[in-house]
Structures are given as structure tokens and as C-alpha cells.
Amino acid sequence: MASATIIHLQVRMPPPSPTRFDNRSSRGGNRPPRSLQRRISTACHGSGHHPANRRTSMRWDNLFVSGVAAWVPPLTSGADAVAACLLDADRYTLRGIRSVAVASDSEDDAPPRMAVRAAREALRRGGTDPADVALLLHATLWFQGVDMWPEASFIANETVGRQVPAYSIAQRCNGGMGSVELAATYLTAGLGTGTAALITTADRFAGPRVDRWNSVDVTMYGDGASALVLSTQDGFARVLATATAADNSLEILARGAEPLRPHPPEPTPIDLGQRTRDGARIAAFDDLTHRYIDLLVSAKNQALADSKTAVENIAWAVIPVSRRGSGHELHDLLEVPDERTSWGYGRTTGHLGAGDQFAGLAQLIETGAVSRGDRVLLYGGGAGYTCTAAVVEIQGPLGA
């Protein structure tokens, strides 16, 4: 499956603007549970329990998405995984993911090669000349095929040429969205000679180290790649604002009780769920849930405030394929009705690592779910912990 989307961007850096929160119900009449409403309100004004998380935000004037695409391998049914005793039936019901994308073990489906396919499609759909690309960023969670190898340089050489700077971004599931802000600042700072930046994501969650159905408590992993092209010239969508919030005290939830080893361990399955439980026990934060919610909500609120967008005017929210059934549903925390999120698509692919947002945006464009003038919230979050939100406004159709 291939998909692509175009967005154009331009940036200026204003003075920090205050976060404002609109507590009215979102379009469609859905509101978060009362306990979450209290937590969301507290997040807007500070909880008093700990120093506020650090936020960066940008309001952009001439920044666009000129192309977006995803390359997703064939799907494997969750019901089939249950029948094969790979997945517990209760977990299948709780998490709501109906299938996951599974790549082959061949070199053709190595993550960088999948990324090249998605990147070429995004460039083609955006009508972007590779010679205009000034930067390539590649976001990943997992092994890319060779140890100690600069896979971003491989992707760049295969798509935009020998002399484009290429860097890998390893900030877990927020790597793709975080790269949007990094690439935008690079372009608008006048670095390089091009007018576009190419961002790719790709992962193949192969065993035995990763059990795609069970390695992490709150989701199930799908394989695939995505790509997004930012431009300071033109695109099918305009980037209005981005905001990133960080709380590095939550890093321990990804490390848990693991020692800092001199070399990787033997290939036994990684249990990220156990790491999270161990990390929470070791950290002993009395406000752990509050820290997570504060982080998530503040990035969303800042992006909405900087783009001058009321939450009820968000046509769609593209969200991570994660945390369904956790008791803190992302659509509730973001105050967007579930039917106006990308969950319906994401539950068919599984969690594509850093690529849920680009793949979800591409799917909205390709299916005609958005129209000119619609505002879309792109939302990412990843262990560490960072959350990045972006508000984009659709300007026209994606290139064929």
C-alpha cells in the first residue's frame, strides 16, 4: 500500500504566547470523563506538584507540506494471532487493534528500503525536485538492518542525492513529529540551499527480540514506512503552528531496572511493559499520571493557541495508535470525538513506530476525508518523554 500527502511550510519565531484552554464541548458533543476534565484543566494552569514541563512552540507563516506517503506491508489479523496463541483474547479485545502490518524478512523489506519507497512517493506526489531538498531526517525505534550503520545516509543517497545532510532521529514514537519541528527550523534558518526537507520513518518489528503483539502493554506494533516533505514554497497543506513539550524525568519508564550494559544483551524478547512497571516503582513519583497528562495536554493546547484554533474547529486529529483501553484515551485528552480521529485507520495497521501521523495524514488525503479549509491536529508522543503537536490547514488536493 502506498500513500502520499503534500504540505507547504514557512516559519517565524514569535514571542511565547500563553496557553489558553477552551472548556466547551467539542463538535459532536463528546466530552472527556469528568475526572479527565479536572486533570486537563489543571494541566492548563499548572498542577503545583512539580515544575512545569518545558515547552517550545512555533507559529509558521510560510511553511507547507508538499507531499506525504506511507508504504505499508500486508496485514495480519489479530483474530488469527489469537487463534495461533500469539495474542491473548482479552488483550485483543481491550486494545482494539484488529490487525497489524507485517513485513517479510527479505532485504527488500528492510526498514531503510521501505523508507526509500515511501520517500520517492512523497516526493513524486508533491512534485518536489530532489535537488530542492536541503535536509533528510529519518526517525526509527528499532534495528534498521545493520549495526552501527548510518541508515539515513543510505535513504538520502537513494532519494535526494549524495550531498544532502542526513541524520537519524531516535526519540522513540515522537521521532517523526519531532522531526517536523527540527526540519522546519532548519529550513527557515536559511541553512543549506534547498527549499524542502524530507522526513522519513521506518521500522520492522521482527522477532526474537520484539514480540509485536505483546512487547509493550499499550499497543501492538505494525511494520512499515512513511515520509513527509516540508516546503517553504507551496503544498496541499499549510503548517500553522507546532509545539513540543518535554519531561525528561519520565525517561526511566523506558529504562526500568535495566543495567547500562557494555554491549547489547543476547537476543531474548524485550519486555517494554515490564520496564515501564519497574521504572514507575523505582521512580516512585506520586504524580506519575499527572506528569503524563500535563505533558500531553500542554503540547496540544500550545499548538491550538498559537494557530488560533479552537479545539471544536479541528476537523480531524491524527493520533498515535496507542493507549486504547488504558483509562486515559487520547481522544478524550485531546478533546476530539473518537470518530474524528485516525483511530479507525490505525487500528488496522498497528502502531507504526514514529510513522502513525504521516501515514494517518496520507490516508485522510487519499480517501477525501478532508476538504479545503479543514484544520487537522497531528499529535505525537514518545518515551523520554516528549510530545509534539502540529496544526495544519488543508489548501487543496494532494498530487496524483
Side-chain angles (χ1 to χ4, degrees):
M1 166 183 171
S3 54
T5 310
I6 305 174
I7 304 176
H8 296 287
L9 308 152
Q10 182 175 9
V11 182
R12 65 185 173 85
M13 297 175 60
S17 57
T19 299
R20 287 184 171 82
F21 179 74
D22 190 333
N23 197 37
R24 291 172 291 177
S25 61
S26 56
R27 189 170 64 194
N30 291 10
R31 297 191 66 169
R34 187 162 308 212
S35 61
L36 285 184
Q37 290 178 36
R38 287 196 296 270
R39 186 64 227 150
I40 291 169
S41 178
T42 301
C44 296
H45 304 291
S47 66
H49 296 297
H50 55 81
N53 56 67
R54 182 69 58 86
R55 289 195 304 268
T56 63
S57 63
M58 292 285 201
R59 186 179 297 119
W60 309 96
D61 288 333
N62 296 294
L63 187 64
F64 305 87
V65 178
S66 65
V68 65
W71 192 90
V72 179
L75 304 179
T76 295
S77 164
D80 289 346
V82 171
C85 298
L86 299 173
L87 174 63
D88 180 77
D90 289 342
R91 173 172 164 78
Y92 172 62
T93 300
L94 176 66
R95 297 305 176 207
I97 294 174
R98 292 295 168 251
S99 55
V100 300
V102 180
S104 74
D105 289 340
S106 75
E107 286 198 34
D108 284 345
D109 282 352
R113 294 194 186 279
M114 293 192 289
V116 167
R117 292 197 281 272
R120 288 173 176 168
E121 182 67 5
L123 291 166
R124 185 190 71 80
R125 293 206 176 179
T128 303
D129 186 339
D132 291 334
V133 176
L135 176 72
L136 182 141
L137 299 178
H138 178 61
T140 72
L141 271 67
W142 183 232
F143 184 61
Q144 295 291 288
V146 179
D147 286 324
M148 298 181 69
W149 173 52
E151 71 279 350
S153 296
F154 170 85
I155 297 166
N157 190 54
E158 293 289 315
T159 57
V160 293
R162 295 169 54 193
Q163 297 181 323
V164 174
Y167 301 98
S168 296
I169 305 295
Q171 197 57 29
R172 312 304 299 161
C173 307
N174 197 40
M177 284 301 298
S179 291
V180 170
E181 205 163 57
L182 294 175
T185 55
Y186 185 96
L187 287 176
T188 56
L191 299 173
T193 58
T195 59
L198 175 61
I199 306 168
T200 61
T201 76
D203 273 297
R204 175 172 58 182
F205 297 100
R209 293 300 312 282
V210 178
D211 175 354
R212 69 175 68 252
W213 301 105
N214 301 295
S215 276
V216 62
D217 285 349
V218 294
T219 191
M220 302 170 201
Y221 288 126
D223 303 335
S226 70
L228 182 140
V229 182
L230 289 181
S231 170
T232 57
Q233 300 300 299
D234 194 14
F236 76 87
R238 187 163 69 95
V239 180
L240 302 178
T242 60
T244 294
D247 186 340
N248 295 319
S249 73
L250 300 177
E251 163 275 329
I252 194 171
L253 301 181
R255 176 168 46 92
E258 293 290 311
L260 301 182
R261 300 179 177 89
H263 54 75
E266 294 301 316
T268 54
I270 297 172
D271 190 340
L272 295 175
Q274 187 61 51
R275 286 193 198 174
T276 298
R277 291 187 290 275
D278 288 344
R281 173 180 52 80
I282 294 167
F285 296 138
D286 60 5
D287 60 348
L288 177 60
T289 300
H290 292 175
R291 293 191 190 200
Y292 165 74
I293 294 176
D294 287 355
L295 191 70
L296 187 153
V297 172
S298 65
K300 180 265 292 189
N301 284 347
Q302 191 69 57
L304 291 178
D306 285 353
S307 66
K308 296 181 171 57
T309 304
V311 69
E312 60 265 29
N313 292 329
I314 291 293
W316 287 91
V318 183
I319 60 175
V321 183
S322 184
R323 307 201 68 82
R324 186 59 52 132
S326 67
H328 299 107
E329 307 293 349
L330 287 173
H331 62 277
D332 284 335
L333 293 171
L334 296 176
E335 297 188 292
V336 177
D338 197 21
E339 62 271 17
R340 288 199 283 115
T341 74
S342 57
W343 172 250
Y345 170 68
R347 71 188 308 202
T348 69
T349 64
H351 180 36
L352 301 178
D356 289 342
Q357 294 74 26
F358 300 170
L361 178 60
Q363 193 266 348
L364 288 178
I365 296 293
E366 291 173 348
T367 59
V370 289
S371 304
R372 184 186 298 274
D374 280 349
R375 293 194 173 187
V376 177
L377 174 67
L378 305 177
Y379 192 88
Y385 207 96
T386 64
C387 294
T388 299
V391 178
V392 304
E393 184 174 274
I394 304 301
Q395 296 195 135
L398 179 64

